[in-house]
Amino acid sequence: MIASFDAIETLLALCLTVAALACLFDRHLVRACCFFIAFAFTMTLAWWLLGAPWLAAAELLLGVVLTGLCFFYALGIFSPDASPKLMRDSLHEPWSRAVARLVLALGWFVMVGAAIRYVIAEMVYSPTEHPLLLAGIIIIACALGAFALHRHLLRRLLAFNILGSGVFMLLAGVAGTSPAAQALITVGLCIAWLGSMLAALLIRQLLHLEGVEVLGHDGEPKEQAK
C-alpha cells in the first residue's frame, strides 16, 4: 500500500518517470538525449536498490556510457562540421494528435496494468508494494505511445530504449533479482545497446546520403517534409 512505500524507492520511481517523459517528449534533441542519460543513471540506482549490483554495473556501462554515446553520435556531435547535425525536432501538431497521444498512452497503461493484475498476479515483487514497478508500467505505456506517434527516427530510437528499460524492470518484478534473472536482463541490455549502435550508424548514413528530411518530422508526412 502507498503508506508502506519506501521513501528512497518512491523518489527513484518519480525521478525515473519524470526523466522518461522528458526524454520522450522534449522537442530539443540534445536535451532529450541528456534526459536519457539521466534516466539510465537513475535506472542504475534502481537496480542497486533492488539488490542487483551486476545489473547496476551493466546499466552504468551499457546504458549511461555506451548508449549515451550512440545517441550523441547520431546527433552529429562527434562528426566533422560538414556532416549534418540534429539539434531540434520541429513540431507542427494539431491538438487532436496531442489528445490521441494521451489516449493511446493511457490505453497502454490500462492494458499493461490489467495484464500484471490478472495474468502475472504472482509476481515476486508486488506492484502495490514497489513503486519502481508502478513506474515501469507508466514508462512502458508512455514509450509505446511515443514510439507509435513519433515519426522522427531518433525520437523512435529513444522511445525504443525507454521501452526496453521499462520491460526489464517488469521482468525483475516477475522473476526477482536472482543471478539467473540478472544474467537474462543483462543479455537484454547488451542486445538493446547493439541495436542502438546499429540504428545510430544507420541514421548518420541516411543523413549523409539524403539529408535531415529523410528522418521525418512529427506532425507532417515525409513527403511534405521534403
Side-chain angles (χ1 to χ4, degrees), residues 24 27 89-94 97 101 145-157 159 203 212-225:
L24 292 171
R27 310 313 304 181
D89 175 25
S90 62
L91 177 65
H92 303 285
E93 183 177 57
R97 184 175 167 85
R101 174 184 284 122
F147 188 87
L149 289 172
H150 285 318
R151 289 192 177 95
H152 198 284
L153 295 184
L154 184 60
R155 302 198 65 79
R156 286 189 166 186
L157 181 58
I203 286 174
V212 175
E213 292 79 7
V214 74
L215 297 181
H217 297 279
D218 286 347
E220 56 182 359
K222 289 184 179 180
E223 303 85 54
Q224 294 179 7

PDB file of all heavy atoms in Angstrom, residues 24 27 89-94 97 101 145-157 159 203 212-225:
ATOM      1  N   LEU A  24      11.132  11.464 -23.788  1.00  0.00           N
ATOM      2  CA  LEU A  24      10.219  11.085 -24.860  1.00  0.00           C
ATOM      3  C   LEU A  24       9.579  12.275 -25.553  1.00  0.00           C
ATOM      4  O   LEU A  24       9.290  12.221 -26.748  1.00  0.00           O
ATOM      5  CB  LEU A  24       9.123  10.166 -24.306  1.00  0.00           C
ATOM      6  CG  LEU A  24       9.562   8.775 -23.849  1.00  0.00           C
ATOM      7  CD1 LEU A  24       8.434   8.068 -23.121  1.00  0.00           C
ATOM      8  CD2 LEU A  24      10.044   7.939 -25.027  1.00  0.00           C
ATOM      9  N   ARG A  27      11.216  18.487 -27.241  1.00  0.00           N
ATOM     10  CA  ARG A  27      11.443  18.673 -28.679  1.00  0.00           C
ATOM     11  C   ARG A  27      12.908  18.960 -29.015  1.00  0.00           C
ATOM     12  O   ARG A  27      13.320  18.808 -30.161  1.00  0.00           O
ATOM     13  CB  ARG A  27      10.574  19.826 -29.221  1.00  0.00           C
ATOM     14  CG  ARG A  27       9.110  19.760 -28.842  1.00  0.00           C
ATOM     15  CD  ARG A  27       8.501  18.396 -29.048  1.00  0.00           C
ATOM     16  NE  ARG A  27       8.630  17.895 -30.402  1.00  0.00           N
ATOM     17  CZ  ARG A  27       8.150  16.737 -30.797  1.00  0.00           C
ATOM     18  NH1 ARG A  27       7.537  15.950 -29.946  1.00  0.00           N
ATOM     19  NH2 ARG A  27       8.295  16.357 -32.045  1.00  0.00           N
ATOM     20  N   ASP A  89      13.810  18.843 -33.125  1.00  0.00           N
ATOM     21  CA  ASP A  89      12.781  18.199 -33.939  1.00  0.00           C
ATOM     22  C   ASP A  89      11.614  19.162 -34.064  1.00  0.00           C
ATOM     23  O   ASP A  89      10.999  19.530 -33.058  1.00  0.00           O
ATOM     24  CB  ASP A  89      12.347  16.898 -33.254  1.00  0.00           C
ATOM     25  CG  ASP A  89      11.202  16.232 -33.990  1.00  0.00           C
ATOM     26  OD1 ASP A  89      11.056  16.471 -35.187  1.00  0.00           O
ATOM     27  OD2 ASP A  89      10.455  15.486 -33.340  1.00  0.00           O
ATOM     28  N   SER A  90      11.311  19.597 -35.284  1.00  0.00           N
ATOM     29  CA  SER A  90      10.229  20.548 -35.473  1.00  0.00           C
ATOM     30  C   SER A  90       8.893  19.913 -35.151  1.00  0.00           C
ATOM     31  O   SER A  90       8.698  18.712 -35.332  1.00  0.00           O
ATOM     32  CB  SER A  90      10.221  21.069 -36.909  1.00  0.00           C
ATOM     33  OG  SER A  90      10.003  19.998 -37.803  1.00  0.00           O
ATOM     34  N   LEU A  91       7.955  20.719 -34.679  1.00  0.00           N
ATOM     35  CA  LEU A  91       6.640  20.213 -34.280  1.00  0.00           C
ATOM     36  C   LEU A  91       5.559  21.084 -34.888  1.00  0.00           C
ATOM     37  O   LEU A  91       5.483  22.275 -34.644  1.00  0.00           O
ATOM     38  CB  LEU A  91       6.510  20.225 -32.751  1.00  0.00           C
ATOM     39  CG  LEU A  91       5.153  19.798 -32.197  1.00  0.00           C
ATOM     40  CD1 LEU A  91       4.896  18.339 -32.519  1.00  0.00           C
ATOM     41  CD2 LEU A  91       5.079  20.033 -30.700  1.00  0.00           C
ATOM     42  N   HIS A  92       4.733  20.481 -35.743  1.00  0.00           N
ATOM     43  CA  HIS A  92       3.543  21.139 -36.287  1.00  0.00           C
ATOM     44  C   HIS A  92       2.382  20.184 -36.023  1.00  0.00           C
ATOM     45  O   HIS A  92       1.957  19.441 -36.896  1.00  0.00           O
ATOM     46  CB  HIS A  92       3.707  21.411 -37.782  1.00  0.00           C
ATOM     47  CG  HIS A  92       4.909  22.237 -38.107  1.00  0.00           C
ATOM     48  ND1 HIS A  92       4.972  23.586 -37.882  1.00  0.00           N
ATOM     49  CD2 HIS A  92       6.110  21.884 -38.629  1.00  0.00           C
ATOM     50  CE1 HIS A  92       6.151  24.048 -38.265  1.00  0.00           C
ATOM     51  NE2 HIS A  92       6.856  23.032 -38.718  1.00  0.00           N
ATOM     52  N   GLU A  93       1.903  20.196 -34.785  1.00  0.00           N
ATOM     53  CA  GLU A  93       0.995  19.172 -34.330  1.00  0.00           C
ATOM     54  C   GLU A  93      -0.368  19.757 -33.960  1.00  0.00           C
ATOM     55  O   GLU A  93      -0.460  20.637 -33.109  1.00  0.00           O
ATOM     56  CB  GLU A  93       1.600  18.473 -33.110  1.00  0.00           C
ATOM     57  CG  GLU A  93       0.786  17.328 -32.582  1.00  0.00           C
ATOM     58  CD  GLU A  93       1.506  16.658 -31.430  1.00  0.00           C
ATOM     59  OE1 GLU A  93       1.817  17.341 -30.447  1.00  0.00           O
ATOM     60  OE2 GLU A  93       1.745  15.449 -31.523  1.00  0.00           O
ATOM     61  N   PRO A  94      -1.449  19.298 -34.565  1.00  0.00           N
ATOM     62  CA  PRO A  94      -2.784  19.746 -34.170  1.00  0.00           C
ATOM     63  C   PRO A  94      -3.153  19.196 -32.807  1.00  0.00           C
ATOM     64  O   PRO A  94      -2.608  18.185 -32.350  1.00  0.00           O
ATOM     65  CB  PRO A  94      -3.680  19.176 -35.271  1.00  0.00           C
ATOM     66  CG  PRO A  94      -2.934  17.993 -35.784  1.00  0.00           C
ATOM     67  CD  PRO A  94      -1.474  18.334 -35.675  1.00  0.00           C
ATOM     68  N   ARG A  97      -4.011  15.461 -32.446  1.00  0.00           N
ATOM     69  CA  ARG A  97      -2.901  14.497 -32.353  1.00  0.00           C
ATOM     70  C   ARG A  97      -2.365  14.417 -30.930  1.00  0.00           C
ATOM     71  O   ARG A  97      -2.021  13.338 -30.451  1.00  0.00           O
ATOM     72  CB  ARG A  97      -1.801  14.895 -33.328  1.00  0.00           C
ATOM     73  CG  ARG A  97      -0.641  13.912 -33.386  1.00  0.00           C
ATOM     74  CD  ARG A  97       0.326  14.357 -34.470  1.00  0.00           C
ATOM     75  NE  ARG A  97       1.594  13.657 -34.381  1.00  0.00           N
ATOM     76  CZ  ARG A  97       1.837  12.468 -34.912  1.00  0.00           C
ATOM     77  NH1 ARG A  97       0.890  11.842 -35.567  1.00  0.00           N
ATOM     78  NH2 ARG A  97       3.019  11.908 -34.793  1.00  0.00           N
ATOM     79  N   ARG A 101      -2.269  11.073 -28.567  1.00  0.00           N
ATOM     80  CA  ARG A 101      -1.096  10.588 -27.848  1.00  0.00           C
ATOM     81  C   ARG A 101      -1.458  10.271 -26.395  1.00  0.00           C
ATOM     82  O   ARG A 101      -1.084   9.227 -25.851  1.00  0.00           O
ATOM     83  CB  ARG A 101       0.019  11.629 -27.895  1.00  0.00           C
ATOM     84  CG  ARG A 101       1.217  11.237 -27.035  1.00  0.00           C
ATOM     85  CD  ARG A 101       2.268  12.325 -27.006  1.00  0.00           C
ATOM     86  NE  ARG A 101       3.010  12.333 -28.239  1.00  0.00           N
ATOM     87  CZ  ARG A 101       3.105  13.375 -29.046  1.00  0.00           C
ATOM     88  NH1 ARG A 101       2.482  14.482 -28.740  1.00  0.00           N
ATOM     89  NH2 ARG A 101       3.810  13.307 -30.146  1.00  0.00           N
ATOM     90  N   GLY A 145       3.338   4.638 -26.559  1.00  0.00           N
ATOM     91  CA  GLY A 145       2.611   5.731 -27.195  1.00  0.00           C
ATOM     92  C   GLY A 145       3.518   6.629 -28.005  1.00  0.00           C
ATOM     93  O   GLY A 145       3.196   7.021 -29.131  1.00  0.00           O
ATOM     94  N   ALA A 146       4.690   6.957 -27.445  1.00  0.00           N
ATOM     95  CA  ALA A 146       5.638   7.824 -28.156  1.00  0.00           C
ATOM     96  C   ALA A 146       6.176   7.138 -29.404  1.00  0.00           C
ATOM     97  O   ALA A 146       6.310   7.762 -30.463  1.00  0.00           O
ATOM     98  CB  ALA A 146       6.781   8.212 -27.218  1.00  0.00           C
ATOM     99  N   PHE A 147       6.491   5.846 -29.303  1.00  0.00           N
ATOM    100  CA  PHE A 147       7.022   5.127 -30.464  1.00  0.00           C
ATOM    101  C   PHE A 147       5.996   5.070 -31.585  1.00  0.00           C
ATOM    102  O   PHE A 147       6.340   5.172 -32.765  1.00  0.00           O
ATOM    103  CB  PHE A 147       7.430   3.718 -30.056  1.00  0.00           C
ATOM    104  CG  PHE A 147       8.156   2.959 -31.132  1.00  0.00           C
ATOM    105  CD1 PHE A 147       9.526   3.069 -31.260  1.00  0.00           C
ATOM    106  CD2 PHE A 147       7.470   2.141 -32.014  1.00  0.00           C
ATOM    107  CE1 PHE A 147      10.208   2.378 -32.253  1.00  0.00           C
ATOM    108  CE2 PHE A 147       8.132   1.448 -33.010  1.00  0.00           C
ATOM    109  CZ  PHE A 147       9.511   1.564 -33.130  1.00  0.00           C
ATOM    110  N   ALA A 148       4.735   4.912 -31.225  1.00  0.00           N
ATOM    111  CA  ALA A 148       3.687   4.816 -32.234  1.00  0.00           C
ATOM    112  C   ALA A 148       3.416   6.150 -32.909  1.00  0.00           C
ATOM    113  O   ALA A 148       3.075   6.199 -34.094  1.00  0.00           O
ATOM    114  CB  ALA A 148       2.403   4.279 -31.606  1.00  0.00           C
ATOM    115  N   LEU A 149       3.575   7.250 -32.198  1.00  0.00           N
ATOM    116  CA  LEU A 149       3.152   8.545 -32.715  1.00  0.00           C
ATOM    117  C   LEU A 149       4.294   9.404 -33.252  1.00  0.00           C
ATOM    118  O   LEU A 149       4.064  10.265 -34.085  1.00  0.00           O
ATOM    119  CB  LEU A 149       2.399   9.317 -31.626  1.00  0.00           C
ATOM    120  CG  LEU A 149       1.014   8.742 -31.307  1.00  0.00           C
ATOM    121  CD1 LEU A 149       0.414   9.431 -30.101  1.00  0.00           C
ATOM    122  CD2 LEU A 149       0.089   8.871 -32.497  1.00  0.00           C
ATOM    123  N   HIS A 150       5.518   9.197 -32.799  1.00  0.00           N
ATOM    124  CA  HIS A 150       6.641   9.971 -33.329  1.00  0.00           C
ATOM    125  C   HIS A 150       7.028   9.439 -34.705  1.00  0.00           C
ATOM    126  O   HIS A 150       7.101   8.233 -34.911  1.00  0.00           O
ATOM    127  CB  HIS A 150       7.856   9.888 -32.401  1.00  0.00           C
ATOM    128  CG  HIS A 150       7.724  10.714 -31.165  1.00  0.00           C
ATOM    129  ND1 HIS A 150       7.198  11.991 -31.153  1.00  0.00           N
ATOM    130  CD2 HIS A 150       8.055  10.450 -29.879  1.00  0.00           C
ATOM    131  CE1 HIS A 150       7.217  12.468 -29.928  1.00  0.00           C
ATOM    132  NE2 HIS A 150       7.724  11.550 -29.137  1.00  0.00           N
ATOM    133  N   ARG A 151       7.306  10.347 -35.648  1.00  0.00           N
ATOM    134  CA  ARG A 151       7.824   9.952 -36.962  1.00  0.00           C
ATOM    135  C   ARG A 151       9.343  10.064 -37.036  1.00  0.00           C
ATOM    136  O   ARG A 151       9.978   9.394 -37.834  1.00  0.00           O
ATOM    137  CB  ARG A 151       7.187  10.824 -38.060  1.00  0.00           C
ATOM    138  CG  ARG A 151       5.717  10.530 -38.320  1.00  0.00           C
ATOM    139  CD  ARG A 151       5.274  11.220 -39.608  1.00  0.00           C
ATOM    140  NE  ARG A 151       3.892  10.905 -39.926  1.00  0.00           N
ATOM    141  CZ  ARG A 151       2.875  11.673 -39.594  1.00  0.00           C
ATOM    142  NH1 ARG A 151       3.087  12.794 -38.937  1.00  0.00           N
ATOM    143  NH2 ARG A 151       1.642  11.326 -39.897  1.00  0.00           N
ATOM    144  N   HIS A 152       9.904  10.940 -36.222  1.00  0.00           N
ATOM    145  CA  HIS A 152      11.345  11.180 -36.274  1.00  0.00           C
ATOM    146  C   HIS A 152      12.093   9.923 -35.817  1.00  0.00           C
ATOM    147  O   HIS A 152      11.813   9.365 -34.758  1.00  0.00           O
ATOM    148  CB  HIS A 152      11.689  12.370 -35.372  1.00  0.00           C
ATOM    149  CG  HIS A 152      13.036  12.966 -35.660  1.00  0.00           C
ATOM    150  ND1 HIS A 152      14.204  12.360 -35.247  1.00  0.00           N
ATOM    151  CD2 HIS A 152      13.390  14.087 -36.308  1.00  0.00           C
ATOM    152  CE1 HIS A 152      15.220  13.114 -35.621  1.00  0.00           C
ATOM    153  NE2 HIS A 152      14.762  14.156 -36.278  1.00  0.00           N
ATOM    154  N   LEU A 153      13.069   9.468 -36.630  1.00  0.00           N
ATOM    155  CA  LEU A 153      13.746   8.209 -36.349  1.00  0.00           C
ATOM    156  C   LEU A 153      14.522   8.239 -35.035  1.00  0.00           C
ATOM    157  O   LEU A 153      14.542   7.242 -34.294  1.00  0.00           O
ATOM    158  CB  LEU A 153      14.690   7.865 -37.503  1.00  0.00           C
ATOM    159  CG  LEU A 153      14.027   7.579 -38.851  1.00  0.00           C
ATOM    160  CD1 LEU A 153      15.075   7.167 -39.877  1.00  0.00           C
ATOM    161  CD2 LEU A 153      12.972   6.486 -38.711  1.00  0.00           C
ATOM    162  N   LEU A 154      15.180   9.350 -34.724  1.00  0.00           N
ATOM    163  CA  LEU A 154      15.931   9.424 -33.479  1.00  0.00           C
ATOM    164  C   LEU A 154      14.997   9.391 -32.273  1.00  0.00           C
ATOM    165  O   LEU A 154      15.306   8.766 -31.259  1.00  0.00           O
ATOM    166  CB  LEU A 154      16.794  10.688 -33.448  1.00  0.00           C
ATOM    167  CG  LEU A 154      17.703  10.817 -32.220  1.00  0.00           C
ATOM    168  CD1 LEU A 154      18.681   9.648 -32.147  1.00  0.00           C
ATOM    169  CD2 LEU A 154      18.458  12.135 -32.243  1.00  0.00           C
ATOM    170  N   ARG A 155      13.846  10.028 -32.406  1.00  0.00           N
ATOM    171  CA  ARG A 155      12.882  10.007 -31.310  1.00  0.00           C
ATOM    172  C   ARG A 155      12.337   8.592 -31.112  1.00  0.00           C
ATOM    173  O   ARG A 155      12.066   8.164 -29.988  1.00  0.00           O
ATOM    174  CB  ARG A 155      11.753  10.998 -31.571  1.00  0.00           C
ATOM    175  CG  ARG A 155      12.233  12.433 -31.770  1.00  0.00           C
ATOM    176  CD  ARG A 155      11.118  13.414 -31.592  1.00  0.00           C
ATOM    177  NE  ARG A 155      10.639  13.405 -30.224  1.00  0.00           N
ATOM    178  CZ  ARG A 155      11.253  14.028 -29.202  1.00  0.00           C
ATOM    179  NH1 ARG A 155      12.358  14.706 -29.430  1.00  0.00           N
ATOM    180  NH2 ARG A 155      10.762  13.979 -27.996  1.00  0.00           N
ATOM    181  N   ARG A 156      12.150   7.847 -32.188  1.00  0.00           N
ATOM    182  CA  ARG A 156      11.716   6.458 -32.060  1.00  0.00           C
ATOM    183  C   ARG A 156      12.801   5.595 -31.422  1.00  0.00           C
ATOM    184  O   ARG A 156      12.498   4.664 -30.669  1.00  0.00           O
ATOM    185  CB  ARG A 156      11.343   5.903 -33.433  1.00  0.00           C
ATOM    186  CG  ARG A 156      10.024   6.442 -33.955  1.00  0.00           C
ATOM    187  CD  ARG A 156       9.572   5.711 -35.192  1.00  0.00           C
ATOM    188  NE  ARG A 156       8.179   6.005 -35.502  1.00  0.00           N
ATOM    189  CZ  ARG A 156       7.487   5.420 -36.455  1.00  0.00           C
ATOM    190  NH1 ARG A 156       8.075   4.503 -37.211  1.00  0.00           N
ATOM    191  NH2 ARG A 156       6.234   5.735 -36.671  1.00  0.00           N
ATOM    192  N   LEU A 157      14.060   5.896 -31.708  1.00  0.00           N
ATOM    193  CA  LEU A 157      15.155   5.163 -31.086  1.00  0.00           C
ATOM    194  C   LEU A 157      15.190   5.427 -29.581  1.00  0.00           C
ATOM    195  O   LEU A 157      15.417   4.500 -28.784  1.00  0.00           O
ATOM    196  CB  LEU A 157      16.487   5.553 -31.737  1.00  0.00           C
ATOM    197  CG  LEU A 157      17.738   4.848 -31.217  1.00  0.00           C
ATOM    198  CD1 LEU A 157      17.609   3.335 -31.360  1.00  0.00           C
ATOM    199  CD2 LEU A 157      18.976   5.361 -31.946  1.00  0.00           C
ATOM    200  N   ALA A 159      12.569   6.215 -27.775  1.00  0.00           N
ATOM    201  CA  ALA A 159      11.402   5.514 -27.225  1.00  0.00           C
ATOM    202  C   ALA A 159      11.678   4.016 -27.108  1.00  0.00           C
ATOM    203  O   ALA A 159      11.257   3.374 -26.130  1.00  0.00           O
ATOM    204  CB  ALA A 159      10.180   5.765 -28.104  1.00  0.00           C
ATOM    205  N   ILE A 203      21.324   6.028 -38.979  1.00  0.00           N
ATOM    206  CA  ILE A 203      20.837   7.410 -39.002  1.00  0.00           C
ATOM    207  C   ILE A 203      21.883   8.334 -39.602  1.00  0.00           C
ATOM    208  O   ILE A 203      21.575   9.187 -40.444  1.00  0.00           O
ATOM    209  CB  ILE A 203      20.450   7.854 -37.579  1.00  0.00           C
ATOM    210  CG1 ILE A 203      19.130   7.200 -37.158  1.00  0.00           C
ATOM    211  CG2 ILE A 203      20.310   9.379 -37.502  1.00  0.00           C
ATOM    212  CD1 ILE A 203      18.738   7.471 -35.723  1.00  0.00           C
ATOM    213  N   VAL A 212      18.552  15.770 -43.696  1.00  0.00           N
ATOM    214  CA  VAL A 212      17.741  15.694 -42.486  1.00  0.00           C
ATOM    215  C   VAL A 212      16.315  15.267 -42.783  1.00  0.00           C
ATOM    216  O   VAL A 212      15.665  14.604 -41.971  1.00  0.00           O
ATOM    217  CB  VAL A 212      17.751  17.062 -41.761  1.00  0.00           C
ATOM    218  CG1 VAL A 212      16.814  17.044 -40.556  1.00  0.00           C
ATOM    219  CG2 VAL A 212      19.160  17.417 -41.322  1.00  0.00           C
ATOM    220  N   GLU A 213      15.794  15.613 -43.970  1.00  0.00           N
ATOM    221  CA  GLU A 213      14.388  15.349 -44.277  1.00  0.00           C
ATOM    222  C   GLU A 213      14.041  13.865 -44.222  1.00  0.00           C
ATOM    223  O   GLU A 213      12.895  13.497 -43.965  1.00  0.00           O
ATOM    224  CB  GLU A 213      14.031  15.895 -45.669  1.00  0.00           C
ATOM    225  CG  GLU A 213      14.056  17.405 -45.772  1.00  0.00           C
ATOM    226  CD  GLU A 213      15.466  17.961 -45.921  1.00  0.00           C
ATOM    227  OE1 GLU A 213      16.411  17.141 -46.072  1.00  0.00           O
ATOM    228  OE2 GLU A 213      15.620  19.191 -45.867  1.00  0.00           O
ATOM    229  N   VAL A 214      15.032  12.998 -44.472  1.00  0.00           N
ATOM    230  CA  VAL A 214      14.745  11.573 -44.533  1.00  0.00           C
ATOM    231  C   VAL A 214      14.318  11.018 -43.166  1.00  0.00           C
ATOM    232  O   VAL A 214      13.669   9.986 -43.080  1.00  0.00           O
ATOM    233  CB  VAL A 214      15.980  10.803 -45.059  1.00  0.00           C
ATOM    234  CG1 VAL A 214      17.072  10.731 -43.993  1.00  0.00           C
ATOM    235  CG2 VAL A 214      15.597   9.405 -45.507  1.00  0.00           C
ATOM    236  N   LEU A 215      14.671  11.718 -42.087  1.00  0.00           N
ATOM    237  CA  LEU A 215      14.323  11.230 -40.757  1.00  0.00           C
ATOM    238  C   LEU A 215      12.850  11.391 -40.453  1.00  0.00           C
ATOM    239  O   LEU A 215      12.322  10.732 -39.561  1.00  0.00           O
ATOM    240  CB  LEU A 215      15.141  11.979 -39.687  1.00  0.00           C
ATOM    241  CG  LEU A 215      16.655  11.782 -39.754  1.00  0.00           C
ATOM    242  CD1 LEU A 215      17.324  12.557 -38.647  1.00  0.00           C
ATOM    243  CD2 LEU A 215      17.011  10.309 -39.675  1.00  0.00           C
ATOM    244  N   GLY A 216      12.161  12.287 -41.173  1.00  0.00           N
ATOM    245  CA  GLY A 216      10.747  12.527 -40.890  1.00  0.00           C
ATOM    246  C   GLY A 216      10.594  13.534 -39.765  1.00  0.00           C
ATOM    247  O   GLY A 216      11.470  13.691 -38.912  1.00  0.00           O
ATOM    248  N   HIS A 217       9.456  14.236 -39.736  1.00  0.00           N
ATOM    249  CA  HIS A 217       9.165  15.224 -38.702  1.00  0.00           C
ATOM    250  C   HIS A 217       7.794  14.948 -38.140  1.00  0.00           C
ATOM    251  O   HIS A 217       6.858  14.659 -38.870  1.00  0.00           O
ATOM    252  CB  HIS A 217       9.215  16.652 -39.265  1.00  0.00           C
ATOM    253  CG  HIS A 217      10.584  17.030 -39.771  1.00  0.00           C
ATOM    254  ND1 HIS A 217      11.585  17.451 -38.940  1.00  0.00           N
ATOM    255  CD2 HIS A 217      11.110  17.005 -41.020  1.00  0.00           C
ATOM    256  CE1 HIS A 217      12.678  17.706 -39.662  1.00  0.00           C
ATOM    257  NE2 HIS A 217      12.413  17.433 -40.924  1.00  0.00           N
ATOM    258  N   ASP A 218       7.673  15.047 -36.838  1.00  0.00           N
ATOM    259  CA  ASP A 218       6.383  14.811 -36.209  1.00  0.00           C
ATOM    260  C   ASP A 218       5.366  15.828 -36.676  1.00  0.00           C
ATOM    261  O   ASP A 218       5.650  17.016 -36.776  1.00  0.00           O
ATOM    262  CB  ASP A 218       6.495  14.910 -34.684  1.00  0.00           C
ATOM    263  CG  ASP A 218       7.195  13.702 -34.104  1.00  0.00           C
ATOM    264  OD1 ASP A 218       7.353  12.723 -34.843  1.00  0.00           O
ATOM    265  OD2 ASP A 218       7.571  13.732 -32.934  1.00  0.00           O
ATOM    266  N   GLY A 219       4.178  15.347 -36.971  1.00  0.00           N
ATOM    267  CA  GLY A 219       3.078  16.233 -37.321  1.00  0.00           C
ATOM    268  C   GLY A 219       2.933  16.491 -38.796  1.00  0.00           C
ATOM    269  O   GLY A 219       2.009  17.161 -39.209  1.00  0.00           O
ATOM    270  N   GLU A 220       3.874  16.005 -39.635  1.00  0.00           N
ATOM    271  CA  GLU A 220       3.748  16.217 -41.071  1.00  0.00           C
ATOM    272  C   GLU A 220       4.313  15.012 -41.805  1.00  0.00           C
ATOM    273  O   GLU A 220       5.299  14.425 -41.396  1.00  0.00           O
ATOM    274  CB  GLU A 220       4.483  17.489 -41.502  1.00  0.00           C
ATOM    275  CG  GLU A 220       5.952  17.516 -41.126  1.00  0.00           C
ATOM    276  CD  GLU A 220       6.610  18.802 -41.535  1.00  0.00           C
ATOM    277  OE1 GLU A 220       5.914  19.650 -42.114  1.00  0.00           O
ATOM    278  OE2 GLU A 220       7.806  18.966 -41.288  1.00  0.00           O
ATOM    279  N   PRO A 221       3.686  14.601 -42.919  1.00  0.00           N
ATOM    280  CA  PRO A 221       4.179  13.452 -43.663  1.00  0.00           C
ATOM    281  C   PRO A 221       5.558  13.695 -44.227  1.00  0.00           C
ATOM    282  O   PRO A 221       5.973  14.830 -44.449  1.00  0.00           O
ATOM    283  CB  PRO A 221       3.139  13.279 -44.780  1.00  0.00           C
ATOM    284  CG  PRO A 221       1.931  14.034 -44.308  1.00  0.00           C
ATOM    285  CD  PRO A 221       2.449  15.158 -43.475  1.00  0.00           C
ATOM    286  N   LYS A 222       6.287  12.635 -44.484  1.00  0.00           N
ATOM    287  CA  LYS A 222       7.646  12.774 -45.016  1.00  0.00           C
ATOM    288  C   LYS A 222       7.629  13.422 -46.395  1.00  0.00           C
ATOM    289  O   LYS A 222       8.553  14.131 -46.776  1.00  0.00           O
ATOM    290  CB  LYS A 222       8.312  11.394 -45.088  1.00  0.00           C
ATOM    291  CG  LYS A 222       8.653  10.838 -43.716  1.00  0.00           C
ATOM    292  CD  LYS A 222       9.399   9.524 -43.856  1.00  0.00           C
ATOM    293  CE  LYS A 222       9.759   8.966 -42.478  1.00  0.00           C
ATOM    294  NZ  LYS A 222      10.470   7.704 -42.546  1.00  0.00           N
ATOM    295  N   GLU A 223       6.580  13.173 -47.155  1.00  0.00           N
ATOM    296  CA  GLU A 223       6.519  13.778 -48.491  1.00  0.00           C
ATOM    297  C   GLU A 223       6.468  15.306 -48.394  1.00  0.00           C
ATOM    298  O   GLU A 223       7.083  16.018 -49.165  1.00  0.00           O
ATOM    299  CB  GLU A 223       5.298  13.284 -49.234  1.00  0.00           C
ATOM    300  CG  GLU A 223       5.203  11.791 -49.384  1.00  0.00           C
ATOM    301  CD  GLU A 223       4.570  11.123 -48.160  1.00  0.00           C
ATOM    302  OE1 GLU A 223       3.445  11.531 -47.758  1.00  0.00           O
ATOM    303  OE2 GLU A 223       5.198  10.220 -47.603  1.00  0.00           O
ATOM    304  N   GLN A 224       5.707  15.801 -47.382  1.00  0.00           N
ATOM    305  CA  GLN A 224       5.633  17.249 -47.213  1.00  0.00           C
ATOM    306  C   GLN A 224       6.928  17.797 -46.640  1.00  0.00           C
ATOM    307  O   GLN A 224       7.323  18.922 -46.909  1.00  0.00           O
ATOM    308  CB  GLN A 224       4.460  17.586 -46.279  1.00  0.00           C
ATOM    309  CG  GLN A 224       3.109  17.235 -46.874  1.00  0.00           C
ATOM    310  CD  GLN A 224       1.980  17.556 -45.912  1.00  0.00           C
ATOM    311  OE1 GLN A 224       2.188  18.160 -44.863  1.00  0.00           O
ATOM    312  NE2 GLN A 224       0.781  17.150 -46.274  1.00  0.00           N
ATOM    313  N   ALA A 225       7.595  16.969 -45.762  1.00  0.00           N
ATOM    314  CA  ALA A 225       8.834  17.444 -45.166  1.00  0.00           C
ATOM    315  C   ALA A 225       9.887  17.707 -46.213  1.00  0.00           C
ATOM    316  O   ALA A 225      10.752  18.531 -46.076  1.00  0.00           O
ATOM    317  CB  ALA A 225       9.358  16.409 -44.149  1.00  0.00           C
TER     318      ALA A 225
END
